[in-house]
Every structure is written in C-alpha cells, then in structure tokens.
Amino acid sequence: MKTKLISYSRQIGRPYPWLALLGCVLCVPILPAQPDPNARVLSAHHHHVGIAEAKEDWSETTAMPEGPRLELKFTAAPNTGEVVLGVRQRDVSDAWALRLNGKQIATLKRHRDPKVSYYAVPAGALRDGENTLVIESKTGKDNIVVGPVALHQRPLREVLELSLVTLNVSDARSGRPVPARITITDLQDEPVEIFNAIKNETAVRLGVVYTVGTETWVELPRGEYNVYATRGMEWSRPQVKISARPGAAANVALRIEREVDTRGFIAADTHIHTLTFSGHGDSNLEERMLTLAGEGVELAVATDHNHNTDYAPYQEKMGLTEYFTPVVGNEVTTAVGHINAFPLDAKETPPNHKLNDWVQIVDGIRAKGAKVVILNHPRWPSLPRSPLTQFGLNRASGDFRSEVPFPFDGMELANALTPQPDPLFLFQDWFALLNRGHKVAAVGSSDSHTVGQPVGQGRTYIPSLTDDPAKIDVDNACDRFLRGEASISLGIFADVLVDGRYKMGHTVPVQGDFVKVRLRVAAPSWITPRRALVFLNGRQVAEKPVLAGAPRRPTNVLSDFAIKTPQHDAHLVCVVLGDGASHPSWRTAERFTLAATNPVFLDADGDGQYRSPRETARQLLDRAGGPVDRQWQAVNEADDVIAVQMLSLLRGQGTIPDWETRARELAAKKPLLSDYLAMPLPPIKVTAEQLR
Ligand SMILES: [Zn+2]
Ligand SMILES: [Zn+2]
C-alpha cells in the first residue's frame, strides 16, 4: 500500500519571544545557554509527524499524525553568515532529513526525550522571500514530535556559547599518552553533544570521544560536565568535573591505570563491524581503528557481513600499529546462521553465503583458508527463529532433530550486542553440545557496529607468548583458541588451574577423592563480580560468592574449590557472574557481567584420555551387553547427564519397541530425562529388520 502524502504549511513570519513558548514544554531544559530574544519562531506547535497513532505519553500533541512529513513556509532574507535552526524534537529513533529549500542541511539528531536540537544553516541557504523547511522520514517507518521550530540569526558557536575543552589521556604508570574513550556527560551522567572535534584524530558521537591520548580538543556548550576516561575492562575509569565557559578553555588531563593483570593472555574481539563494509551501524574504518585502540582490543578480527575486510592499511594510516594485531575475517551471513570465519585473505572472494547447509557452508569457508569457524549469536534473532531452534537442538542431549552435524569450532556465549536475559541460557546449549561429544570452544565478542557501543565489550582472552599487542602470532592464537585454552569475558577476567597445574583445554589425570580447582577472578574497580560457579558436565556442583575488593577497588581474587571426583570423565567449566554496568562509558545490554573458562577435561577413570558423556554412555551400554533389560538397568543406574546420552543412543538404534514407555518411566525419577523428552528429538532410525 502506498501512503498518501499529506503536506501542510503554515505561514509564519512574526518575531516571537522564544522564551515564552518554552514554558509549556515538559520542564526539560531546552534553552540555549542564553535566551535568544531575536530568535524567530517558525512554528510554535508540537507537530506529530509520521504514520501511526501518538505514543501514550505524547500529551502535547494530536493523537493522529498531521502527515508523514512536516512542511513549514516562512519568509526571510538571504543569510550571509551561518544561522541556526532550533528544533524541539521527541522520540527520533530513525533517519529523518531536515531540508531547506530542497537541500538537506542535516539529519535529525536521534534522542527519545523531548529537547531542542540545533542545526547550523550554512551561509546562502536562506532565500529572499518565501522559504520552505521540510522534515521527512527517510524510511517512512518512524513517528516523532517536532516543534516548536525557531530560527536564530547567529552562528551555532554563539547560540550555544561553545567553549574550548582540551583533552589528554595518559597511562598513570608510564606517563605516556594512551588511546582511550572519553565520555562526557552532564552532571546527571546523561551523555551530551560534543562539537567541533578534530576530524581524523577522533571518533565522536553523543557523549563519546575516542582519542589517541595526545592532546586534542572539542567544544561544549556553556555548562558543567563530568568527563571520564576508559580503556576497556582492564583499565580504571578516572573522572573529572569541568565547567565550560566561553573565553576560558577547560583543560582535561586524565590519568588512566591498568587494573586487571592479564599477562600471558591477549584480549581478542573476534566479531567486529564497520559501516564501510557492513552497510549498517555507524563506525567507518578510520573510526574503528580509534575505537579498537581506545578499548584495549589487542587481536582485532574484522568480520563485516560477507566481506573480507583488512584493517591493516587503515591502522597504518592512523598511526595505530603498536596497539593491536589485525586479522582479516568475515561474518558469513547466511539464512541458517551468522558464521564467523578467520583468518581469510582480503584479496580472495568471500566464502559463499547463499547455501543452506551448515556442512557445505563450513567446508566452503575452510577451503578459503579459515582456521577458526564460529557460530555467532546462536539464539539470534529470537529464540524461535534462531539457527539452534531451526535445526531443533535438544538442550538436554545436544542432539539435533534434523540430525545435522555441528561443524563449528566455537560458539558465542557472550555477544555483548545480543546477550540473553538469562546469562546461563546459552551455556545450557553449549553444555549439551559438549555432552554430546562436540568439541566446541566458548567465545566472547562485542559484535559492535557503532562507535558508541564499546568494541571489545565482549572478548576472548587467548594465551599468548607475547604481551605485545603489535606482535601477536595469529596462527598460534588460532591454535590455542582451537585447543580450548581461552577464557571469555564480558567485563570480568577468569582463569583456572586444576590440581595445581592443569589449565583450560588440558586433560587432568584425576587422583584422589577431590579435584582441586583454583579460580582467578579479576575485574576493574567499576565492575562488581558476585558469584563463582563450577559446572561438571554442565551440572552446577559448587558456588561461592566472589570476595570482591573494597568498594571502588579492582578485584583480583583466588577462589578455591574442592570438587568431589566424578565417577566418570567430565568437563569442568567455571562461570563468574557480576552486576550489570549502567555507566554511559560502558553500558551492558543486560543486567549482568560475566566471565567463563573453557573446559578443563577430567580423566576420572585413569585411562589416560578424556571421554565425553556420549562416549561414556556408549561404553556403559556396551558393557551391559545385549539384553534389553540390562541396558535399561544401566540407564537407570547412570547419572542424569550420561543417562540422557544412553537414552539418545538407544533411541538412535531404533530397535527397542517400548523405548517411549521405558523412557517416560525413567524420566519420572530423573529430571534431565524429562527435559530431554520434552524437547525436539531426532527421528527414530528404522532398521532393515523392522521394515521386514
Ligand atoms: Zn551477526
Ligand atoms: Zn555481527
């Protein structure tokens, strides 16, 4: 259906005291720093523009939209210098063009709360006589309130009383400048608009300036501000309060300190986008280089959608080669999931993304040289539409209804852009796959598409021979990732040592009644870890509070657990959960932070190797021998995790006619079995014998 365009116009010309009409506007401070008595009101009304009914709290405007666009006609004289349009606007969440006499002069600033945004009108944009101002959606999907609209006959610098603020960030220990994110807010910690930053050496958004640390400057309207420096989750968050006054530059010099010791590991973000090659988001390549350096990402895997992006030339151009090692990758974006691949060759054609078969897709990716293939955000875009649901993952057994192989080396459990409300939800998927015998490593990443969302917010800590971020051996990092030696992080760092010397990815020859687990938990002063959990084969076997440091001190603690030696081989995973972060410098999408280890494999039966619960289940069934009753007896005696695998194996054999009845009987006693039966099950294989 085509929406009928309705336009309307209002002839306005008389001067109006800008101040008077603002009294009606929802008690939000929307004045320029100094009231402008010479501002001309082009419209005094609150116009509802768009295609749908007003939102509940839009009390100032009409229920139905006036039309899909706003058109204001007014008379003026040509402007020889810059003038300014002040537009009160509300709930702008999409792209809206602001056009004057047919020429776009701005895209409306996006903000939810009602306030006035200012737009510079270049010299010569106003005509003698009638002028037309149009505000129009670029997508036709959004609804907004705009107006009053006023014309200020002065340049932006004067209207807002912009004043100069110099910015420096240095490493507290070395005294050297260090790339960082500077967050500028009002005194209520709401991000503010930043003006006239120096292009090429900064990446600027609402309330955010990424810098290389050396002196740069921006302009702020007259007022009081909080200024913070951050550099990802390993660093402190110093703060200073400043007052911006025209004619007196405010000098900000923030000293930032490393608070989380991650020596021996490098911080990898395996999932990063740019507007340049992903086509959405807002970070161009140059800005991405600044954000990577400013967030302390050390191994940066470029993963634009279906594009092999090489950061190296941009990193060099920006003079940022010392801060991270770039890796060419690709988020192979298919109808059956977003599949992350690296390293790739930027000169090669990207892997085929038009296939619908996991194995074919992954084979195609590996044929292009990728060593690591990860299933990204496995529960996106929603639970029912996610690839794991499409293929029918049974979250108790790790079987797929469609019996697809699971050809991935890793799976994202901490994607900062699309976390699950329950922090352990994805872990249950993962544990089921591990129990089923898949070798799949946990991954943390940011999936950042923008400057504002911190790249590296989700990350993976990979052991490294060097701590120099410019000299990371990419092949070695891939190998160690594949060996499961990394831990994942969303604000917290974790590492584990079992029986004094075994690390993530290792197999432990367990001796004695208890397994000694020493978990290290570290976090910066502005993140609070709360609980440490230990899982064996995905079942929680221990929990302890994390004894965090004093308030506003970094956390760096060792937690010791004595875990009862399991009867059979098991994988051991530690998870740390903490409070969500709400500060604008590093805001989490959900109300938690976390860290998790990859598994340490316990060889409990002393045969020198680790067997997954699936293999143990097979072994136990073999031992029970042929008689069906003995096999069911063995299922009954096994622990839940292994019993589920035995049930799945018996079902797969397809030779047991009363499988369903017997399974239901056992499920009454074993909760995991009843979960298993309630979830998608693979088809029963019908044997040739049964067909006869
Ligand atoms: Zn994706
Ligand atoms: Zn992505």
Side-chain angles (χ1 to χ4, degrees), residues 271 273 280 303 305 331-333 337-340 376-377 380 412 415 417-418 447 449:
H271 188 171
H273 294 274
H280 56 276
T303 56
H305 298 285
E331 185 177 24
V332 183
T333 304
H338 290 191
I339 297 162
N340 216 66
N376 284 349
H377 43 68
W380 181 89
E412 283 183 346
N415 174 306
L417 188 66
T418 50
D447 202 0
H449 288 70

Side-chain angles (χ1 to χ4, degrees), residues 51-218:
I51 50 161
E53 263 185 68
K55 295 193 182 163
E56 268 172 26
D57 58 346
W58 288 2
S59 55
E60 74 272 33
T61 189
T62 52
M64 294 311 291
E66 297 175 18
R69 67 203 285 263
L70 173 70
E71 184 177 303
L72 297 175
K73 291 195 186 293
F74 60 98
T75 55
N79 59 322
T80 50
E82 182 184 275
V83 295
V84 171
L85 282 165
V87 181
R88 179 200 179 267
Q89 49 180 75
R90 176 171 202 182
D91 276 304
V92 179
S93 56
D94 206 358
W96 287 79
L98 180 65
R99 286 194 210 102
L100 186 59
N101 299 324
K103 216 171 161 188
Q104 181 169 325
I105 57 165
T107 300
L108 288 192
K109 289 166 189 168
R110 295 180 192 204
H111 53 79
R112 272 199 57 223
D113 293 337
K115 64 180 179 190
V116 174
S117 285
Y118 295 93
Y119 303 96
V121 177
L126 289 172
R127 284 185 194 144
D128 197 14
E130 188 178 79
N131 287 263
T132 308
L133 177 73
V134 170
I135 292 176
E136 186 170 22
S137 168
K138 291 185 180 178
T139 63
K141 287 183 190 155
D142 202 15
N143 271 291
I144 61 171
V145 185
V146 278
V149 180
L151 181 65
H152 302 262
Q153 306 282 358
R154 299 187 293 166
L156 195 65
R157 177 168 276 114
E158 284 178 33
V159 172
L160 293 177
E161 293 192 273
L162 292 181
S163 74
L164 199 67
V165 179
T166 66
L167 302 168
N168 295 271
V169 184
S170 58
D171 179 337
R173 265 174 238 177
S174 68
R176 289 182 57 207
V178 65
R181 169 182 173 127
I182 296 169
T183 301
I184 307 179
T185 70
D186 63 18
L187 299 188
Q188 285 73 50
D189 276 343
E190 282 301 318
V192 298
E193 200 174 338
I194 295 162
F195 295 87
N196 301 325
I198 301 179
K199 288 205 176 73
N200 306 327
E201 64 180 51
T202 55
V204 178
R205 294 295 182 276
L206 184 72
V208 177
V209 189
Y210 280 94
T211 84
V212 295
T214 51
E215 182 157 289
T216 187
W217 51 88
V218 296

Side-chain angles (χ1 to χ4, degrees), residues 203-509:
V204 178
R205 294 295 182 276
L206 184 72
V208 177
V209 189
Y210 280 94
T211 84
V212 295
T214 51
E215 182 157 289
T216 187
W217 51 88
V218 296
E219 293 186 339
L220 294 173
R222 176 194 283 270
E224 312 276 310
Y225 300 95
N226 285 328
V227 185
Y228 303 86
T230 48
R231 183 157 208 275
M233 52 139 294
E234 293 180 33
W235 294 73
S236 63
R237 185 174 67 205
Q239 174 200 358
V240 65
K241 196 175 140 183
I242 61 160
S243 153
R245 299 268 171 276
N251 300 309
V252 173
L254 290 159
R255 290 159 63 82
I256 190 164
E257 197 168 351
R258 192 188 280 268
E259 293 185 334
V260 178
D261 184 352
T262 60
R263 271 174 292 182
F265 289 86
I266 48 98
D269 190 346
T270 52
H271 188 171
I272 307 164
H273 294 274
T274 63
L275 169 65
T276 318
F277 291 118
S278 284
H280 56 276
D282 73 9
S283 177
N284 68 30
L285 268 160
E286 289 78 3
E287 290 174 323
R288 185 48 84 210
M289 299 305 102
L290 286 160
T291 60
L292 284 165
E295 291 291 344
V297 173
E298 295 165 324
L299 188 72
V301 185
T303 56
D304 287 308
H305 298 285
N306 302 323
H307 188 277
N308 298 358
T309 303
D310 186 5
Y311 288 159
Y314 300 89
Q315 186 189 18
E316 206 156 304
K317 183 177 103 184
M318 302 291 289
L320 295 170
T321 49
E322 69 183 283
Y323 298 107
F324 59 92
T325 297
V327 180
V328 177
N330 184 327
E331 185 177 24
V332 183
T333 304
T334 78
V336 288
H338 290 191
I339 297 162
N340 216 66
F342 60 89
L344 290 168
D345 185 341
K347 291 183 218 87
E348 273 251 23
T349 52
N352 186 351
H353 65 275
K354 291 186 177 146
L355 302 168
N356 286 321
D357 179 300
W358 274 354
V359 174
Q360 280 180 24
I361 296 168
V362 172
D363 283 351
I365 289 171
R366 294 199 197 277
K368 298 279 184 184
K371 294 182 89 173
V372 178
V373 182
I374 297 166
L375 180 61
N376 284 349
H377 43 68
R379 290 298 186 176
W380 181 89
S382 63
L383 206 51
R385 291 169 59 209
S386 69
L388 292 187
T389 307
Q390 279 183 49
F391 287 102
L393 174 70
N394 185 306
R395 279 159 54 77
S397 67
D399 291 316
F400 284 94
R401 184 180 41 219
S402 52
E403 297 189 287
V404 284
F406 190 81
F408 309 105
D409 306 311
M411 185 165 92
E412 283 183 346
L413 302 184
N415 174 306
L417 188 66
T418 50
Q420 301 296 313
D422 169 0
L424 295 176
F425 189 90
L426 293 169
F427 283 80
Q428 195 186 329
D429 290 338
W430 181 50
F431 289 146
L433 292 165
L434 293 174
N435 292 347
R436 180 67 175 71
H438 293 295
K439 196 170 178 327
V440 49
V443 183
S445 78
S446 74
D447 202 0
S448 175
H449 288 70
T450 62
V451 168
Q453 191 220 339
V455 70
Q457 186 171 47
R459 51 177 70 187
T460 303
Y461 278 100
I462 305 174
S464 170
L465 300 169
T466 174
D467 288 307
D468 181 343
K471 299 206 171 81
I472 298 168
D473 178 337
V474 175
D475 271 349
N476 184 258
C478 291
D479 289 344
R480 303 191 78 166
F481 172 86
L482 293 171
R483 292 206 295 261
E485 297 179 16
S487 73
I488 68 171
S489 166
L490 188 71
I492 303 171
F493 173 80
D495 189 15
V496 69
L497 208 58
V498 174
D499 282 352
R501 59 198 183 102
Y502 299 96
K503 300 180 181 180
M504 293 179 281
H506 290 183
T507 300
V508 185

